[in-house]
């Protein structure tokens, strides 16, 4: 965020947004690490047993569990990318601006979804191209 952007939002708003994003990022990193350990545990447990997913009655559930954890890990990585982009927008003075209409994203929405890029109205509308900057 530029110095002018910090002045427009106010130093406490900037610090609050940065702290919220950092806390969300730390939580997401911890969740991703835990999921990684879970995934490694599933793989290690399956390595000890000759699992035939197609014929073993337990094979289907272990395959599902492995796929489920892999999906959760991918979502955590995507969320980290969203948070990193939000931190970039914060540094550039663009944090809290809707990419759809260019309006202000309500603070309540940013409190719940710190990486939000759209206001509620734009988020609920069918996909449309972002508003030109």
């Amino acid at each position: 965020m530029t110095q002018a952007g910090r002045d427009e939002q106010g130093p406490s708003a900037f610090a609050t947004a940065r702290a919220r994003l950092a806390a969300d990022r730390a939580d997401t990193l911890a969740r991703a690490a835990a999921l990684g350990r879970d995934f490694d545990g599933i793989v290690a447990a399956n390595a000890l047993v000759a699992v035939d997913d197609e014929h073993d009655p337990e094979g289907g559930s272990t395959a599902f569990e492995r796929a489920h954890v892999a999906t959760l890990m991918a979502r955590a990585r995507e969320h980290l990318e969203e948070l990193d982009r939000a931190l970039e927008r914060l540094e550039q003075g663009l944090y809290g601006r809707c990419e759809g209409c260019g309006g202000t994203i309500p603070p309540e929405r940013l409190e719940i979804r710190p990486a939000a890029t759209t206001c509620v109205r734009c988020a609920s509308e069918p996909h449309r191209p972002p508003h030109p900057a």
Side-chain angles (χ1 to χ4, degrees):
M1 181 175 206
T2 63
Q3 186 61 41
R6 283 191 185 130
D7 292 342
E8 290 168 13
Q9 274 191 324
S12 67
F14 178 86
T16 299
R18 181 175 263 310
R20 186 177 298 126
L21 289 165
D24 194 350
R25 194 171 195 290
D27 289 345
T28 304
L29 283 170
R31 186 172 62 251
L35 288 165
R37 288 188 300 274
D38 290 349
F39 187 85
D40 291 344
I42 294 166
V43 171
N46 286 335
L48 299 175
V49 180
V51 176
D52 178 358
D53 285 354
E54 191 173 326
H55 299 100
D56 183 352
E58 290 299 313
S61 62
T62 56
F64 171 80
E65 187 177 359
R66 190 174 53 238
H68 179 71
V69 172
T71 299
L72 293 174
M73 289 170 56
R75 285 185 185 164
R77 282 191 299 272
E78 288 171 9
H79 189 61
L80 283 172
E81 291 171 7
E82 291 171 356
L83 291 167
D84 288 344
R85 286 191 300 271
L87 284 164
E88 288 174 13
R89 288 192 309 275
L90 184 67
E91 291 298 327
Q92 296 168 354
L94 302 173
Y95 184 75
R97 285 272 161 223
C98 177
E99 291 180 353
C101 66
T104 301
I105 299 172
E108 300 82 12
R109 177 165 170 77
L110 292 171
E111 188 172 326
I112 295 167
R113 295 184 48 102
T117 60
T118 57
C119 64
V120 175
R121 184 177 57 82
C122 288
S124 62
E125 290 180 359
H127 183 69
R128 63 182 197 187
H131 177 40

PDB file of all heavy atoms in Angstrom, residues 107-119:
ATOM      1  N   PRO A 107     -16.409  -3.197   5.540  1.00  0.00           N
ATOM      2  CA  PRO A 107     -15.473  -3.736   6.534  1.00  0.00           C
ATOM      3  C   PRO A 107     -15.957  -5.043   7.164  1.00  0.00           C
ATOM      4  O   PRO A 107     -15.142  -5.913   7.485  1.00  0.00           O
ATOM      5  CB  PRO A 107     -15.376  -2.626   7.587  1.00  0.00           C
ATOM      6  CG  PRO A 107     -15.820  -1.383   6.896  1.00  0.00           C
ATOM      7  CD  PRO A 107     -16.779  -1.812   5.825  1.00  0.00           C
ATOM      8  N   GLU A 108     -17.273  -5.191   7.318  1.00  0.00           N
ATOM      9  CA  GLU A 108     -17.818  -6.422   7.893  1.00  0.00           C
ATOM     10  C   GLU A 108     -17.501  -7.631   7.017  1.00  0.00           C
ATOM     11  O   GLU A 108     -17.219  -8.710   7.509  1.00  0.00           O
ATOM     12  CB  GLU A 108     -19.337  -6.309   8.091  1.00  0.00           C
ATOM     13  CG  GLU A 108     -19.773  -5.199   9.006  1.00  0.00           C
ATOM     14  CD  GLU A 108     -19.849  -3.828   8.318  1.00  0.00           C
ATOM     15  OE1 GLU A 108     -19.786  -3.756   7.075  1.00  0.00           O
ATOM     16  OE2 GLU A 108     -19.949  -2.824   9.043  1.00  0.00           O
ATOM     17  N   ARG A 109     -17.554  -7.427   5.705  1.00  0.00           N
ATOM     18  CA  ARG A 109     -17.225  -8.522   4.774  1.00  0.00           C
ATOM     19  C   ARG A 109     -15.743  -8.858   4.870  1.00  0.00           C
ATOM     20  O   ARG A 109     -15.356 -10.024   4.897  1.00  0.00           O
ATOM     21  CB  ARG A 109     -17.601  -8.144   3.339  1.00  0.00           C
ATOM     22  CG  ARG A 109     -17.220  -9.217   2.313  1.00  0.00           C
ATOM     23  CD  ARG A 109     -17.947  -8.959   0.997  1.00  0.00           C
ATOM     24  NE  ARG A 109     -17.482  -9.775  -0.093  1.00  0.00           N
ATOM     25  CZ  ARG A 109     -17.779 -11.065  -0.276  1.00  0.00           C
ATOM     26  NH1 ARG A 109     -18.549 -11.696   0.601  1.00  0.00           N
ATOM     27  NH2 ARG A 109     -17.317 -11.720  -1.325  1.00  0.00           N
ATOM     28  N   LEU A 110     -14.897  -7.826   4.942  1.00  0.00           N
ATOM     29  CA  LEU A 110     -13.458  -8.062   5.039  1.00  0.00           C
ATOM     30  C   LEU A 110     -13.081  -8.696   6.370  1.00  0.00           C
ATOM     31  O   LEU A 110     -12.108  -9.440   6.450  1.00  0.00           O
ATOM     32  CB  LEU A 110     -12.692  -6.754   4.832  1.00  0.00           C
ATOM     33  CG  LEU A 110     -12.775  -6.183   3.417  1.00  0.00           C
ATOM     34  CD1 LEU A 110     -12.174  -4.784   3.379  1.00  0.00           C
ATOM     35  CD2 LEU A 110     -12.117  -7.105   2.417  1.00  0.00           C
ATOM     36  N   GLU A 111     -13.869  -8.428   7.389  1.00  0.00           N
ATOM     37  CA  GLU A 111     -13.609  -9.055   8.680  1.00  0.00           C
ATOM     38  C   GLU A 111     -13.855 -10.560   8.601  1.00  0.00           C
ATOM     39  O   GLU A 111     -13.103 -11.353   9.151  1.00  0.00           O
ATOM     40  CB  GLU A 111     -14.491  -8.436   9.757  1.00  0.00           C
ATOM     41  CG  GLU A 111     -14.149  -8.893  11.157  1.00  0.00           C
ATOM     42  CD  GLU A 111     -14.908  -8.132  12.215  1.00  0.00           C
ATOM     43  OE1 GLU A 111     -15.179  -6.936  12.017  1.00  0.00           O
ATOM     44  OE2 GLU A 111     -15.236  -8.751  13.240  1.00  0.00           O
ATOM     45  N   ILE A 112     -14.907 -10.941   7.880  1.00  0.00           N
ATOM     46  CA  ILE A 112     -15.258 -12.354   7.737  1.00  0.00           C
ATOM     47  C   ILE A 112     -14.409 -13.031   6.668  1.00  0.00           C
ATOM     48  O   ILE A 112     -13.974 -14.166   6.842  1.00  0.00           O
ATOM     49  CB  ILE A 112     -16.763 -12.497   7.396  1.00  0.00           C
ATOM     50  CG1 ILE A 112     -17.594 -12.006   8.572  1.00  0.00           C
ATOM     51  CG2 ILE A 112     -17.117 -13.928   7.039  1.00  0.00           C
ATOM     52  CD1 ILE A 112     -19.051 -11.805   8.242  1.00  0.00           C
ATOM     53  N   ARG A 113     -14.180 -12.325   5.565  1.00  0.00           N
ATOM     54  CA  ARG A 113     -13.395 -12.863   4.433  1.00  0.00           C
ATOM     55  C   ARG A 113     -12.286 -11.868   4.109  1.00  0.00           C
ATOM     56  O   ARG A 113     -12.424 -11.060   3.188  1.00  0.00           O
ATOM     57  CB  ARG A 113     -14.283 -13.055   3.213  1.00  0.00           C
ATOM     58  CG  ARG A 113     -15.358 -14.115   3.404  1.00  0.00           C
ATOM     59  CD  ARG A 113     -16.147 -14.328   2.130  1.00  0.00           C
ATOM     60  NE  ARG A 113     -15.297 -14.485   0.967  1.00  0.00           N
ATOM     61  CZ  ARG A 113     -15.027 -15.664   0.392  1.00  0.00           C
ATOM     62  NH1 ARG A 113     -15.562 -16.743   0.843  1.00  0.00           N
ATOM     63  NH2 ARG A 113     -14.241 -15.724  -0.661  1.00  0.00           N
ATOM     64  N   PRO A 114     -11.181 -11.918   4.849  1.00  0.00           N
ATOM     65  CA  PRO A 114     -10.116 -10.922   4.665  1.00  0.00           C
ATOM     66  C   PRO A 114      -9.549 -10.848   3.253  1.00  0.00           C
ATOM     67  O   PRO A 114      -9.069  -9.803   2.838  1.00  0.00           O
ATOM     68  CB  PRO A 114      -9.030 -11.358   5.657  1.00  0.00           C
ATOM     69  CG  PRO A 114      -9.730 -12.199   6.654  1.00  0.00           C
ATOM     70  CD  PRO A 114     -10.874 -12.849   5.929  1.00  0.00           C
ATOM     71  N   ALA A 115      -9.614 -11.923   2.488  1.00  0.00           N
ATOM     72  CA  ALA A 115      -9.068 -11.922   1.133  1.00  0.00           C
ATOM     73  C   ALA A 115     -10.118 -11.583   0.079  1.00  0.00           C
ATOM     74  O   ALA A 115      -9.856 -11.689  -1.118  1.00  0.00           O
ATOM     75  CB  ALA A 115      -8.439 -13.274   0.823  1.00  0.00           C
ATOM     76  N   ALA A 116     -11.300 -11.146   0.503  1.00  0.00           N
ATOM     77  CA  ALA A 116     -12.385 -10.843  -0.442  1.00  0.00           C
ATOM     78  C   ALA A 116     -11.932  -9.811  -1.469  1.00  0.00           C
ATOM     79  O   ALA A 116     -11.252  -8.836  -1.139  1.00  0.00           O
ATOM     80  CB  ALA A 116     -13.612 -10.328   0.305  1.00  0.00           C
ATOM     81  N   THR A 117     -12.339 -10.046  -2.720  1.00  0.00           N
ATOM     82  CA  THR A 117     -11.995  -9.118  -3.799  1.00  0.00           C
ATOM     83  C   THR A 117     -13.227  -8.422  -4.367  1.00  0.00           C
ATOM     84  O   THR A 117     -13.097  -7.566  -5.233  1.00  0.00           O
ATOM     85  CB  THR A 117     -11.277  -9.857  -4.954  1.00  0.00           C
ATOM     86  OG1 THR A 117     -12.143 -10.870  -5.453  1.00  0.00           O
ATOM     87  CG2 THR A 117      -9.965 -10.460  -4.490  1.00  0.00           C
ATOM     88  N   THR A 118     -14.407  -8.822  -3.892  1.00  0.00           N
ATOM     89  CA  THR A 118     -15.642  -8.227  -4.397  1.00  0.00           C
ATOM     90  C   THR A 118     -16.579  -7.885  -3.248  1.00  0.00           C
ATOM     91  O   THR A 118     -16.521  -8.494  -2.181  1.00  0.00           O
ATOM     92  CB  THR A 118     -16.387  -9.196  -5.347  1.00  0.00           C
ATOM     93  OG1 THR A 118     -16.637 -10.417  -4.652  1.00  0.00           O
ATOM     94  CG2 THR A 118     -15.596  -9.469  -6.613  1.00  0.00           C
ATOM     95  N   CYS A 119     -17.452  -6.922  -3.507  1.00  0.00           N
ATOM     96  CA  CYS A 119     -18.498  -6.596  -2.549  1.00  0.00           C
ATOM     97  C   CYS A 119     -19.551  -7.708  -2.596  1.00  0.00           C
ATOM     98  O   CYS A 119     -19.524  -8.561  -3.487  1.00  0.00           O
ATOM     99  CB  CYS A 119     -19.119  -5.236  -2.880  1.00  0.00           C
ATOM    100  SG  CYS A 119     -19.988  -5.164  -4.470  1.00  0.00           S
TER     101      CYS A 119
END
